[in-house]
């Protein structure tokens, strides 16, 4: 099974930055798009950003211009650079990879608070 391991979450003040990483345990050869969802307490899981194997990106409107998704195919890793963080960005962030099915990371907590 493909395993996705996340890191980079934590506590940050409003306006601060965090960089999330997600690394696949196997080669990304069979993985097409990768991305990040987030889920806040009492809310549904929402797709935040997605990047294809060719580097095309999509973002939910609420993070457009603040977040940047990227990937390093050689390292089988997808990143989410989060700048100008707001309290409403507080959530558990889950990375995923698309293959014949969807693979999920374990989730990493991001808390934005003063």
């Amino acid at each position: 099974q493909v395993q996705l391991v996340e890191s980079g979450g934590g506590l940050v003040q409003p306006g601060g930055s965090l960089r999330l990483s997600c690394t696949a345990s196997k080669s990304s050869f069979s993985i097409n798009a990768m991305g990040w969802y987030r889920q806040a307490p009492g809310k549904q899981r929402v797709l935040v950003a997605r990047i294809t194997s060719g580097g095309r990106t999509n973002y939910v409107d609420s993070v457009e211009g603040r977040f940047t998704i990227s990937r390093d195919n050689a390292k089988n890793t997808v990143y989410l650079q989060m700048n100008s963080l707001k309290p409403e960005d507080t959530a558990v962030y889950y990375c995923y990879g698309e293959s014949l099915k969807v693979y999920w990371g374990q989730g990493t907590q991001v808390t934005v608070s003063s």
Side-chain angles (χ1 to χ4, degrees):
Q1 287 273 24
V2 174
Q3 300 290 328
L4 301 179
V5 180
E6 304 179 27
S7 64
L11 175 64
V12 66
Q13 293 186 334
S17 298
L18 286 173
R19 188 193 192 204
L20 306 183
S21 299
C22 175
T23 300
S25 62
K26 297 183 178 180
S27 172
S28 61
F29 176 79
S30 64
I31 298 178
N32 296 312
M34 300 184 74
W36 297 87
Y37 279 76
R38 70 185 183 189
Q39 187 167 26
K43 304 290 186 178
Q44 285 191 306
R45 188 173 297 187
V46 176
L47 178 62
V48 176
R50 179 177 181 269
I51 184 167
T52 69
S53 60
R56 290 182 285 108
T57 60
N58 298 94
Y59 301 93
V60 69
D61 288 346
S62 59
V63 309
E64 185 76 46
R66 299 188 298 119
F67 291 11
T68 302
I69 188 171
S70 61
R71 65 189 293 172
D72 186 335
N73 291 331
K75 296 180 179 179
N76 300 322
T77 299
V78 63
Y79 305 94
L80 186 66
Q81 178 67 47
M82 305 185 294
N83 298 325
S84 302
L85 283 162
K86 304 175 180 180
E88 49 263 46
D89 296 318
T90 296
V92 178
Y93 285 70
Y94 299 89
C95 70
Y96 75 92
E98 300 175 11
S99 185
L100 295 179
K101 68 175 185 178
V102 177
Y103 297 91
W104 292 94
Q106 81 280 8
T108 185
Q109 176 71 47
V110 172
T111 302
V112 185
S113 177
S114 59

